Amino acid sequence: MKRDMDLARRILLEVEADPKTTGFGYRRVDIEGHDQAEVSYHIQLLSDAGLLEAKSLSTTAGLDWRVIRLTYAGHEFLEASRKDTLWQKAKSTVLEKTGGLSFEVLKAVLLKLATDAVTGGGE
C-alpha cells in the first residue's frame, strides 16, 4: 500500500481533535473516503514514525490498528503543518527537490517555512 501524507496528516488532526484520545484505552479512526485497512496502515506508519502511540488488533481477517494518543513529536508535527498553505507549499517544495515525501524532510521544510514566516523571510 502506498503512503499518503495527506491521509497521515488528517489522521493526526482527527486524533488531536478528539478529547477522548488521552492515552487511556484506544480508538478506531474513520476518515471519509478511505477504507479501514488504508487508515489502519497509516496509523501503523505514524506509530512507526513516533508521531502517535497505537495498538495492533490485527488478525488474519485484516489489518486493524487503533490509536492510543498523540506523542509529543506528533503534536510538534501538527503544529508545524497546521496551516494549509504552509502544508501545501512544503509538500510541493519537497516533491520538487526530492521526488518523494518523507516525514523528517517534510517536517524540516515546514519548520523552515514557519520560521521564515515569523521572521519575515516568507509566507
Side-chain angles (χ1 to χ4, degrees), residues 22-47:
T22 59
F24 295 103
Y26 44 86
R27 70 178 283 263
R28 177 178 163 154
V29 176
D30 295 308
I31 303 291
E32 188 176 327
H34 299 275
D35 66 32
Q36 192 55 44
E38 185 180 17
V39 173
S40 283
Y41 181 74
H42 282 76
I43 290 171
Q44 181 180 13
L45 291 175
L46 290 164
S47 178

Side-chain angles (χ1 to χ4, degrees), residues 73-98:
H75 282 285
E76 289 292 296
F77 184 83
L78 272 181
E79 287 306 315
S81 68
R82 187 162 315 280
K83 191 172 180 185
D84 285 333
T85 54
L86 285 179
W87 173 251
Q88 295 304 327
K89 187 173 182 178
K91 282 192 332 176
S92 294
T93 300
V94 173
L95 278 171
E96 178 184 314
K97 303 284 185 191
T98 69

Side-chain angles (χ1 to χ4, degrees), residues 5-15 29 31-34:
M5 295 301 282
D6 289 315
L7 175 56
R9 179 174 173 253
R10 284 181 61 193
I11 291 168
L12 292 172
L13 288 166
E14 175 74 22
V15 170
V29 176
I31 303 291
E32 188 176 327
H34 299 275

Side-chain angles (χ1 to χ4, degrees), residues 63-79:
L63 197 59
D64 186 7
W65 278 77
R66 306 290 173 105
V67 172
I68 297 171
R69 69 177 189 89
L70 280 174
T71 62
Y72 188 84
H75 282 285
E76 289 292 296
F77 184 83
L78 272 181
E79 287 306 315

